[in-house]
Amino acid sequence: MISYQIIEHGKPLQKVLKEAPKPTGTEVLVRVTRSGVCHSDLHIWDGYFDLGGGKRFYVKDRGCVPPFTMGHEPFGVVEAVGPKAKGVKVGQKRIVFPWIGCGKCAMCKAERDNYCTAMRTIGVIRPGAYSTHLVVPHPKFEKVSVVQEPAIVKLPDGRLFCVMRTIAGSPFWTTSSDAGETWSKPARL
């Protein structure tokens, strides 16, 4: 597998070769075919978010310490599943919702992983999609709404999306995977 990793904040990404992981338990291995480049990736690459007025938020203070692979907007094809992974099959196209919670707190038990205070975000804390392969810990939310919960979710043919939760709301963009240049207007969900 090939990954492009941050070895040092602010420096060029480095190509890293290693064997593709084999999923165990409930894990799912996704062969990444596309990944968004989010503006937050640029800040993570730099190592900080500029808060204005000379203030900075350093990503290392939240556990984002090199070396690691960015990419929290992955799309790909299920290549392998662990023996306990249910509801997902090899060959299915999936988008991966990256906000993976701890699985133990009240928010995670209520299936609100995106509010977990011990989050293990793909592409920030867990290895991300700037790679040929990505391990997703669990397909448990496969049948719920794409926008509402962390998941490996079904995706209509020929569609991609980027979801970013913000204080103001959730913008939702779609484009044809074939054309790549026709974007819909953002919608509040």
Side-chain angles (χ1 to χ4, degrees):
M1 126 175 156
I2 300 170
S3 296
Y4 293 90
Q5 296 185 346
I6 292 177
I7 304 300
E8 183 179 344
H9 289 293
K11 302 290 183 185
L13 300 179
Q14 298 295 309
K15 183 178 183 177
V16 175
L17 301 172
K18 60 183 176 181
E19 191 171 326
K22 295 187 180 359
T24 62
T26 61
E27 293 177 334
V28 176
L29 180 66
V30 175
R31 181 176 40 84
V32 178
T33 59
R34 294 170 177 85
S35 179
V37 177
C38 182
H39 197 198
S40 63
D41 289 330
L42 301 177
H43 296 298
I44 292 167
W45 188 5
D46 286 336
Y48 64 91
F49 286 77
D50 187 341
L51 303 176
K55 296 180 183 178
R56 291 182 173 178
F57 166 75
Y58 290 93
V59 297
K60 66 181 180 184
D61 296 338
R62 290 284 175 99
C64 190
V65 180
F68 66 93
T69 305
M70 293 188 303
H72 61 269
E73 298 175 358
F75 173 79
V77 178
V78 175
E79 191 162 281
V81 297
K84 295 182 180 178
K86 305 293 182 217
V88 63
K89 295 177 184 172
V90 171
Q92 291 178 317
K93 294 178 181 178
R94 293 287 191 252
I95 194 158
V96 179
F97 195 94
W99 289 277
I100 307 298
C102 70
K104 299 175 185 172
C105 71
M107 285 291 138
C108 288
K109 288 179 180 178
E111 298 185 351
R112 309 279 304 190
D113 291 47
N114 55 309
Y115 292 106
C116 177
T117 58
M119 204 175 305
R120 301 169 292 146
T121 306
I122 289 173
V124 180
I125 304 300
R126 296 179 59 92
Y130 294 177
S131 183
T132 58
H133 292 81
L134 171 68
V135 173
V136 181
H138 200 288
K140 66 182 178 175
F141 300 116
E142 195 261 339
K143 295 182 180 177
V144 299
S145 168
V146 170
V147 178
Q148 295 302 317
E149 303 298 337
I152 299 174
V153 294
K154 293 182 180 177
L155 189 68
D157 288 342
R159 304 299 281 178
L160 297 177
F161 84 89
C162 166
V163 176
M164 180 64 177
R165 291 184 188 272
T166 64
I167 294 171
S170 297
F172 186 70
W173 294 83
T174 62
T175 182
S176 165
S177 62
D178 296 327
E181 68 276 347
T182 307
W183 293 86
S184 69
K185 294 180 182 178
R188 294 277 182 215
L189 302 173

